[in-house]
Amino acid sequence: MDLDVLPVDIALREPFGIATGAKTAALNVFVRATLADGTRGWGEAAPFEAVNGERREVALGAIHRARDTLVGWDARAWRSLGGQLRELAPESPSARCAIETAVLDAITRSLGISLATFFGGLETELFSDLTITTGTAARARESAFSIARQGYRTIKLKVGGSSVADDVARIRAVIEAAPSCSLVLDGNAALTQEDAVAIALECKTMGGELALFEQPCAREDDDAAIFVHDRARVLVCADESVGSVKDVARLARKGAAQAINLKITKSGVVECYDMACVARAHGLGLMVGGMVESSMAMSASAHLACGVGGVEFVDLDTPLWLVDEPVVAEMTREGPRLSIAKVRAGHGARPSDAWLAERRVEP
Ligand SMILES: [Mg+2]
């Protein structure tokens, strides 16, 4: 096996703001794995500094280091890849994600099956939410109205970037503009437990259908998650606080999450697959999400979610933020509905011929 590494800059239509910072461009990395039989597969690293401190230079360094070790390695032993990469690149989960995705894409292309089939083949379609990032109430209202008109049933609203009063005003605007949509709030680990409870209770009082409160409080504060669940009677979904199978087991044991957000960019693909199985064994709900990713990483996540099946919350919307994403994907997107039914092999996404030609890379 061999790996190629290609940095990719993708402009965003508008800044993607969360409680802890905003992103104005996706500075990601594409990785190409080539197997001994010549089959190629693609993966993407999407480091998001405001979420976990990871920057592209870190991911690039980690991928190059892993490459030196992995060249010549037998990719059929894919099960060991997650563990190997954790040792080689402990500081860069997004690098692990890119390499694992590329290898699994290549293996499944070589086998002539889709990545979803490889992971169990239970489903072929998902219904995604659409996110409203941090900002003003007026902007939230406008976005919510447009999202509902496009047929989405769930809106994810980023909270925790301003005062409780501001967030409550934004939630009110969303409920008024999109009364038929259920809500997922995401605090990105920035709220106190008291503020999170206040926001959740206000949301319910205003008639909002609060389906889930994602990572309201600090990642290491399991007690705060329990507090929010108990006091606000809301399902808490762990995101920043869950990156591994070990985390899933801990949260389940303590009752500190009722669902977990699976992200390949955060945990790697192999670990995510195991996390889904362990979460299910503990009766936890599943969400699938991402960082600010192109349709390449999002396709891989959709295949994982469809393969294992039963992923109730789907947050695979960031390609809609990108201007001219340089990716061709076989996964289709019609409003909230994502379908992988037509994907013949692998995850079905790769850089466009034009993008590769510009970089003098043969397709
Ligand atoms: Mg989140």
Side-chain angles (χ1 to χ4, degrees), residues 205-258:
T205 305
M206 293 185 288
E209 191 193 329
L210 181 52
L212 212 59
F213 204 147
E214 199 183 322
Q215 197 72 43
C217 306
R219 75 181 68 198
E220 62 282 355
D221 196 347
D222 292 343
D223 291 340
I226 296 168
F227 183 90
V228 174
H229 172 62
D230 287 349
R231 299 293 174 94
R233 301 260 159 232
V234 61
L235 301 182
V236 172
C237 177
D239 183 2
E240 281 84 344
S241 62
V242 64
S244 66
V245 168
K246 226 171 144 182
D247 293 334
V248 177
R250 185 195 81 245
L251 293 168
R253 206 170 46 238
K254 293 171 86 170
Q258 289 69 50

Short mmCIF file of all heavy atoms in Angstrom, two decimals, residues 205-258:
data_model
loop_
_atom_site.label_atom_id
_atom_site.label_comp_id
_atom_site.label_asym_id
_atom_site.label_seq_id
_atom_site.Cartn_x
_atom_site.Cartn_y
_atom_site.Cartn_z
N THR A 205 -40.79 25.51 27.24
CA THR A 205 -41.89 26.41 27.60
C THR A 205 -42.43 27.14 26.37
O THR A 205 -43.63 27.38 26.25
CB THR A 205 -41.40 27.46 28.64
OG1 THR A 205 -40.84 26.75 29.74
CG2 THR A 205 -42.52 28.34 29.13
N MET A 206 -41.52 27.46 25.44
CA MET A 206 -41.94 28.17 24.23
C MET A 206 -42.58 27.23 23.21
O MET A 206 -42.93 27.63 22.12
CB MET A 206 -40.73 28.88 23.60
CG MET A 206 -40.20 30.02 24.45
SD MET A 206 -38.86 30.93 23.63
CE MET A 206 -37.50 29.77 23.69
N GLY A 207 -42.69 25.94 23.57
CA GLY A 207 -43.35 24.98 22.67
C GLY A 207 -42.40 24.29 21.71
O GLY A 207 -42.83 23.61 20.78
N GLY A 208 -41.10 24.45 21.93
CA GLY A 208 -40.13 23.79 21.06
C GLY A 208 -40.05 22.30 21.32
O GLY A 208 -40.11 21.86 22.47
N GLU A 209 -39.93 21.53 20.25
CA GLU A 209 -39.77 20.08 20.41
C GLU A 209 -38.28 19.80 20.48
O GLU A 209 -37.59 19.67 19.47
CB GLU A 209 -40.40 19.37 19.21
CG GLU A 209 -40.50 17.87 19.41
CD GLU A 209 -40.83 17.15 18.12
OE1 GLU A 209 -41.53 17.73 17.26
OE2 GLU A 209 -40.35 16.01 17.96
N LEU A 210 -37.78 19.75 21.72
CA LEU A 210 -36.34 19.61 21.93
C LEU A 210 -35.96 18.12 21.91
O LEU A 210 -36.15 17.41 22.88
CB LEU A 210 -35.95 20.26 23.28
CG LEU A 210 -34.47 20.24 23.66
CD1 LEU A 210 -33.59 20.79 22.54
CD2 LEU A 210 -34.25 21.06 24.94
N ALA A 211 -35.45 17.68 20.78
CA ALA A 211 -35.15 16.26 20.60
C ALA A 211 -33.89 15.85 21.34
O ALA A 211 -33.77 14.72 21.83
CB ALA A 211 -35.01 15.95 19.12
N LEU A 212 -32.93 16.78 21.42
CA LEU A 212 -31.61 16.41 21.92
C LEU A 212 -30.85 17.67 22.33
O LEU A 212 -30.98 18.71 21.68
CB LEU A 212 -30.85 15.74 20.77
CG LEU A 212 -29.83 14.64 21.03
CD1 LEU A 212 -30.48 13.48 21.76
CD2 LEU A 212 -29.28 14.13 19.68
N PHE A 213 -30.06 17.58 23.39
CA PHE A 213 -29.14 18.67 23.75
C PHE A 213 -27.74 18.10 23.64
O PHE A 213 -27.32 17.25 24.43
CB PHE A 213 -29.41 19.19 25.17
CG PHE A 213 -28.96 20.61 25.40
CD1 PHE A 213 -29.66 21.43 26.27
CD2 PHE A 213 -27.86 21.15 24.74
CE1 PHE A 213 -29.27 22.76 26.50
CE2 PHE A 213 -27.46 22.47 24.95
CZ PHE A 213 -28.18 23.27 25.83
N GLU A 214 -27.02 18.57 22.60
CA GLU A 214 -25.70 18.03 22.33
C GLU A 214 -24.65 18.79 23.14
O GLU A 214 -24.63 20.02 23.13
CB GLU A 214 -25.44 18.18 20.82
CG GLU A 214 -24.36 17.31 20.27
CD GLU A 214 -24.15 17.60 18.78
OE1 GLU A 214 -25.13 17.85 18.06
OE2 GLU A 214 -22.98 17.60 18.36
N GLN A 215 -23.80 18.05 23.80
CA GLN A 215 -22.66 18.57 24.57
C GLN A 215 -22.91 19.95 25.17
O GLN A 215 -22.23 20.92 24.82
CB GLN A 215 -21.41 18.63 23.68
CG GLN A 215 -20.11 18.77 24.48
CD GLN A 215 -19.73 17.49 25.23
OE1 GLN A 215 -19.82 16.41 24.70
NE2 GLN A 215 -19.32 17.63 26.47
N PRO A 216 -23.86 20.04 26.12
CA PRO A 216 -24.11 21.36 26.71
C PRO A 216 -22.90 21.90 27.47
O PRO A 216 -22.59 23.08 27.40
CB PRO A 216 -25.29 21.11 27.66
CG PRO A 216 -25.39 19.63 27.84
CD PRO A 216 -24.78 19.01 26.63
N CYS A 217 -22.21 21.02 28.21
CA CYS A 217 -21.18 21.50 29.16
C CYS A 217 -19.80 20.90 28.84
O CYS A 217 -19.66 20.09 27.93
CB CYS A 217 -21.59 21.16 30.58
SG CYS A 217 -23.25 21.76 30.98
N ALA A 218 -18.84 21.30 29.64
CA ALA A 218 -17.44 20.94 29.42
C ALA A 218 -17.24 19.44 29.20
O ALA A 218 -17.93 18.62 29.81
CB ALA A 218 -16.59 21.39 30.60
N ARG A 219 -16.27 19.12 28.34
CA ARG A 219 -16.11 17.73 27.90
C ARG A 219 -15.78 16.78 29.05
O ARG A 219 -16.20 15.63 29.04
CB ARG A 219 -15.06 17.62 26.80
CG ARG A 219 -13.63 17.75 27.26
CD ARG A 219 -12.67 17.66 26.09
NE ARG A 219 -12.81 18.83 25.23
CZ ARG A 219 -12.38 18.88 23.97
NH1 ARG A 219 -11.84 17.85 23.42
NH2 ARG A 219 -12.51 19.99 23.26
N GLU A 220 -15.05 17.27 30.05
CA GLU A 220 -14.63 16.36 31.11
C GLU A 220 -15.64 16.34 32.28
O GLU A 220 -15.44 15.61 33.24
CB GLU A 220 -13.22 16.73 31.61
CG GLU A 220 -13.07 18.11 32.21
CD GLU A 220 -12.99 19.23 31.17
OE1 GLU A 220 -12.96 18.94 29.95
OE2 GLU A 220 -12.99 20.40 31.57
N ASP A 221 -16.71 17.14 32.16
CA ASP A 221 -17.64 17.28 33.29
C ASP A 221 -18.87 16.37 33.13
O ASP A 221 -19.94 16.81 32.73
CB ASP A 221 -18.05 18.75 33.44
CG ASP A 221 -18.69 19.04 34.79
OD1 ASP A 221 -19.02 18.06 35.50
OD2 ASP A 221 -18.85 20.22 35.12
N ASP A 222 -18.70 15.11 33.45
CA ASP A 222 -19.82 14.16 33.32
C ASP A 222 -20.97 14.51 34.26
O ASP A 222 -22.14 14.32 33.93
CB ASP A 222 -19.34 12.73 33.62
CG ASP A 222 -18.39 12.21 32.54
OD1 ASP A 222 -18.36 12.79 31.44
OD2 ASP A 222 -17.68 11.22 32.82
N ASP A 223 -20.62 15.06 35.44
CA ASP A 223 -21.67 15.41 36.40
C ASP A 223 -22.59 16.50 35.85
O ASP A 223 -23.79 16.49 36.11
CB ASP A 223 -21.05 15.88 37.73
CG ASP A 223 -20.37 14.72 38.47
OD1 ASP A 223 -20.71 13.56 38.16
OD2 ASP A 223 -19.51 14.97 39.32
N ALA A 224 -22.01 17.43 35.09
CA ALA A 224 -22.82 18.49 34.51
C ALA A 224 -23.82 17.92 33.49
O ALA A 224 -24.97 18.34 33.43
CB ALA A 224 -21.93 19.54 33.84
N ALA A 225 -23.37 16.94 32.73
CA ALA A 225 -24.27 16.31 31.75
C ALA A 225 -25.43 15.61 32.46
O ALA A 225 -26.58 15.68 32.02
CB ALA A 225 -23.48 15.32 30.89
N ILE A 226 -25.11 14.96 33.58
CA ILE A 226 -26.14 14.28 34.37
C ILE A 226 -27.12 15.31 34.93
O ILE A 226 -28.34 15.13 34.89
CB ILE A 226 -25.48 13.45 35.51
CG1 ILE A 226 -24.62 12.34 34.91
CG2 ILE A 226 -26.54 12.89 36.45
CD1 ILE A 226 -23.70 11.65 35.92
N PHE A 227 -26.59 16.43 35.42
CA PHE A 227 -27.40 17.52 35.97
C PHE A 227 -28.39 18.04 34.92
O PHE A 227 -29.58 18.19 35.19
CB PHE A 227 -26.45 18.65 36.44
CG PHE A 227 -27.11 19.83 37.09
CD1 PHE A 227 -27.32 19.85 38.47
CD2 PHE A 227 -27.52 20.93 36.34
CE1 PHE A 227 -27.91 20.95 39.07
CE2 PHE A 227 -28.12 22.03 36.94
CZ PHE A 227 -28.32 22.05 38.31
N VAL A 228 -27.90 18.29 33.72
CA VAL A 228 -28.75 18.83 32.65
C VAL A 228 -29.85 17.82 32.30
O VAL A 228 -31.03 18.19 32.15
CB VAL A 228 -27.91 19.18 31.40
CG1 VAL A 228 -28.81 19.60 30.23
CG2 VAL A 228 -26.92 20.29 31.72
N HIS A 229 -29.49 16.57 32.20
CA HIS A 229 -30.47 15.53 31.88
C HIS A 229 -31.55 15.45 32.96
O HIS A 229 -32.75 15.41 32.66
CB HIS A 229 -29.76 14.18 31.73
CG HIS A 229 -30.70 13.03 31.58
ND1 HIS A 229 -31.58 12.92 30.51
CD2 HIS A 229 -30.94 11.94 32.35
CE1 HIS A 229 -32.30 11.82 30.64
NE2 HIS A 229 -31.93 11.21 31.74
N ASP A 230 -31.12 15.47 34.22
CA ASP A 230 -32.08 15.32 35.34
C ASP A 230 -32.98 16.54 35.47
O ASP A 230 -34.19 16.41 35.62
CB ASP A 230 -31.32 15.12 36.66
CG ASP A 230 -30.70 13.73 36.75
OD1 ASP A 230 -31.04 12.89 35.89
OD2 ASP A 230 -29.88 13.51 37.66
N ARG A 231 -32.38 17.73 35.46
CA ARG A 231 -33.15 18.94 35.75
C ARG A 231 -34.02 19.37 34.57
O ARG A 231 -35.10 19.91 34.77
CB ARG A 231 -32.22 20.10 36.12
CG ARG A 231 -31.39 19.86 37.33
CD ARG A 231 -32.25 19.78 38.60
NE ARG A 231 -31.44 19.39 39.74
CZ ARG A 231 -30.87 20.26 40.58
NH1 ARG A 231 -31.05 21.54 40.42
NH2 ARG A 231 -30.13 19.82 41.59
N ALA A 232 -33.51 19.20 33.34
CA ALA A 232 -34.27 19.70 32.18
C ALA A 232 -35.05 18.59 31.49
O ALA A 232 -35.80 18.86 30.56
CB ALA A 232 -33.32 20.37 31.18
N ARG A 233 -34.87 17.36 31.96
CA ARG A 233 -35.57 16.21 31.35
C ARG A 233 -35.37 16.22 29.83
O ARG A 233 -36.32 16.19 29.06
CB ARG A 233 -37.07 16.25 31.68
CG ARG A 233 -37.36 16.20 33.14
CD ARG A 233 -37.77 14.80 33.59
NE ARG A 233 -37.56 14.65 35.01
CZ ARG A 233 -36.87 13.64 35.56
NH1 ARG A 233 -36.34 12.72 34.83
NH2 ARG A 233 -36.73 13.55 36.86
N VAL A 234 -34.11 16.31 29.45
CA VAL A 234 -33.77 16.33 28.02
C VAL A 234 -32.73 15.25 27.77
O VAL A 234 -31.93 14.93 28.65
CB VAL A 234 -33.25 17.73 27.62
CG1 VAL A 234 -31.98 18.10 28.39
CG2 VAL A 234 -32.98 17.83 26.13
N LEU A 235 -32.77 14.66 26.58
CA LEU A 235 -31.75 13.68 26.23
C LEU A 235 -30.46 14.43 25.93
O LEU A 235 -30.45 15.37 25.13
CB LEU A 235 -32.17 12.88 25.00
CG LEU A 235 -33.48 12.08 25.12
CD1 LEU A 235 -33.74 11.30 23.82
CD2 LEU A 235 -33.43 11.13 26.31
N VAL A 236 -29.39 14.01 26.56
CA VAL A 236 -28.09 14.65 26.34
C VAL A 236 -27.27 13.77 25.40
O VAL A 236 -27.16 12.55 25.61
CB VAL A 236 -27.34 14.87 27.68
CG1 VAL A 236 -25.92 15.34 27.44
CG2 VAL A 236 -28.10 15.87 28.54
N CYS A 237 -26.73 14.42 24.37
CA CYS A 237 -25.89 13.69 23.41
C CYS A 237 -24.44 14.11 23.61
O CYS A 237 -24.12 15.30 23.53
CB CYS A 237 -26.33 14.02 21.99
SG CYS A 237 -25.32 13.24 20.72
N ALA A 238 -23.56 13.16 23.88
CA ALA A 238 -22.14 13.48 24.06
C ALA A 238 -21.49 13.66 22.69
O ALA A 238 -21.75 12.90 21.77
CB ALA A 238 -21.46 12.34 24.81
N ASP A 239 -20.67 14.72 22.57
CA ASP A 239 -19.89 14.90 21.34
C ASP A 239 -18.42 15.09 21.72
O ASP A 239 -17.63 14.14 21.67
CB ASP A 239 -20.43 16.07 20.52
CG ASP A 239 -19.69 16.25 19.19
OD1 ASP A 239 -18.79 15.43 18.91
OD2 ASP A 239 -19.99 17.20 18.45
N GLU A 240 -18.06 16.29 22.18
CA GLU A 240 -16.66 16.53 22.56
C GLU A 240 -16.20 15.54 23.63
O GLU A 240 -15.00 15.23 23.72
CB GLU A 240 -16.48 17.96 23.07
CG GLU A 240 -16.38 19.03 21.98
CD GLU A 240 -17.73 19.52 21.48
OE1 GLU A 240 -18.76 18.84 21.75
OE2 GLU A 240 -17.78 20.58 20.81
N SER A 241 -17.12 15.05 24.47
CA SER A 241 -16.70 14.17 25.58
C SER A 241 -16.62 12.70 25.17
O SER A 241 -16.33 11.86 26.02
CB SER A 241 -17.64 14.34 26.77
OG SER A 241 -18.95 13.96 26.42
N VAL A 242 -16.88 12.38 23.92
CA VAL A 242 -16.81 10.97 23.52
C VAL A 242 -15.98 10.81 22.24
O VAL A 242 -16.34 11.32 21.18
CB VAL A 242 -18.23 10.35 23.36
CG1 VAL A 242 -19.03 11.00 22.25
CG2 VAL A 242 -18.17 8.85 23.19
N GLY A 243 -14.83 10.15 22.38
CA GLY A 243 -13.96 9.97 21.22
C GLY A 243 -13.55 8.53 21.01
O GLY A 243 -12.91 8.21 20.01
N SER A 244 -13.92 7.67 21.96
CA SER A 244 -13.45 6.29 21.89
C SER A 244 -14.48 5.35 22.51
O SER A 244 -15.43 5.78 23.17
CB SER A 244 -12.14 6.16 22.69
OG SER A 244 -12.41 6.38 24.07
N VAL A 245 -14.27 4.06 22.28
CA VAL A 245 -15.11 3.03 22.87
C VAL A 245 -15.10 3.14 24.40
O VAL A 245 -16.13 2.99 25.05
CB VAL A 245 -14.58 1.64 22.43
CG1 VAL A 245 -15.23 0.54 23.24
CG2 VAL A 245 -14.82 1.43 20.96
N LYS A 246 -13.93 3.43 24.93
CA LYS A 246 -13.77 3.58 26.38
C LYS A 246 -14.67 4.69 26.92
O LYS A 246 -15.31 4.56 27.96
CB LYS A 246 -12.31 3.92 26.67
CG LYS A 246 -11.68 3.14 27.79
CD LYS A 246 -10.20 3.43 27.78
CE LYS A 246 -9.67 3.48 29.20
NZ LYS A 246 -8.24 3.80 29.22
N ASP A 247 -14.70 5.82 26.17
CA ASP A 247 -15.57 6.93 26.57
C ASP A 247 -17.04 6.52 26.55
O ASP A 247 -17.81 6.89 27.43
CB ASP A 247 -15.38 8.13 25.63
CG ASP A 247 -14.02 8.78 25.74
OD1 ASP A 247 -13.40 8.67 26.82
OD2 ASP A 247 -13.57 9.39 24.75
N VAL A 248 -17.43 5.77 25.53
CA VAL A 248 -18.83 5.34 25.41
C VAL A 248 -19.21 4.53 26.64
O VAL A 248 -20.25 4.77 27.27
CB VAL A 248 -19.06 4.50 24.14
CG1 VAL A 248 -20.52 4.00 24.09
CG2 VAL A 248 -18.74 5.29 22.88
N ALA A 249 -18.36 3.59 27.00
CA ALA A 249 -18.64 2.72 28.15
C ALA A 249 -18.73 3.54 29.43
O ALA A 249 -19.61 3.33 30.26
CB ALA A 249 -17.55 1.65 28.27
N ARG A 250 -17.82 4.52 29.59
CA ARG A 250 -17.82 5.36 30.80
C ARG A 250 -19.11 6.18 30.90
O ARG A 250 -19.78 6.20 31.94
CB ARG A 250 -16.62 6.31 30.78
CG ARG A 250 -16.47 7.14 32.04
CD ARG A 250 -15.50 8.32 31.88
NE ARG A 250 -16.13 9.47 31.24
CZ ARG A 250 -15.79 9.95 30.06
NH1 ARG A 250 -14.84 9.40 29.35
NH2 ARG A 250 -16.42 11.01 29.56
N LEU A 251 -19.48 6.82 29.79
CA LEU A 251 -20.67 7.67 29.81
C LEU A 251 -21.93 6.84 30.09
O LEU A 251 -22.82 7.27 30.83
CB LEU A 251 -20.81 8.40 28.46
CG LEU A 251 -19.73 9.44 28.16
CD1 LEU A 251 -19.79 9.88 26.70
CD2 LEU A 251 -19.87 10.66 29.08
N ALA A 252 -21.97 5.64 29.51
CA ALA A 252 -23.14 4.77 29.70
C ALA A 252 -23.23 4.33 31.16
O ALA A 252 -24.29 4.37 31.78
CB ALA A 252 -23.05 3.56 28.78
N ARG A 253 -22.09 3.94 31.72
CA ARG A 253 -22.05 3.47 33.10
C ARG A 253 -22.50 4.56 34.06
O ARG A 253 -23.22 4.32 35.02
CB ARG A 253 -20.61 3.05 33.42
CG ARG A 253 -20.47 2.01 34.50
CD ARG A 253 -19.05 1.48 34.59
NE ARG A 253 -18.05 2.53 34.57
CZ ARG A 253 -17.07 2.63 33.68
NH1 ARG A 253 -16.95 1.72 32.72
NH2 ARG A 253 -16.18 3.60 33.73
N LYS A 254 -22.08 5.81 33.79
CA LYS A 254 -22.42 6.91 34.70
C LYS A 254 -23.77 7.54 34.39
O LYS A 254 -24.24 8.39 35.14
CB LYS A 254 -21.33 8.01 34.60
CG LYS A 254 -19.99 7.54 35.14
CD LYS A 254 -18.90 8.55 34.84
CE LYS A 254 -18.79 9.64 35.87
NZ LYS A 254 -17.58 10.47 35.67
N GLY A 255 -24.37 7.17 33.27
CA GLY A 255 -25.63 7.82 32.88
C GLY A 255 -25.40 9.26 32.45
O GLY A 255 -26.26 10.12 32.59
N ALA A 256 -24.21 9.54 31.91
CA ALA A 256 -23.85 10.91 31.54
C ALA A 256 -24.14 11.22 30.08
O ALA A 256 -23.73 12.28 29.58
CB ALA A 256 -22.38 11.17 31.86
N ALA A 257 -24.79 10.32 29.37
CA ALA A 257 -25.24 10.59 28.00
C ALA A 257 -26.35 9.60 27.67
O ALA A 257 -26.35 8.48 28.18
CB ALA A 257 -24.09 10.44 27.00
N GLN A 258 -27.29 10.06 26.86
CA GLN A 258 -28.34 9.16 26.38
C GLN A 258 -28.12 8.87 24.89
O GLN A 258 -28.79 8.01 24.32
CB GLN A 258 -29.72 9.80 26.60
CG GLN A 258 -30.15 9.85 28.07
CD GLN A 258 -29.33 10.83 28.89
OE1 GLN A 258 -29.17 11.98 28.50
NE2 GLN A 258 -28.79 10.37 30.00
#
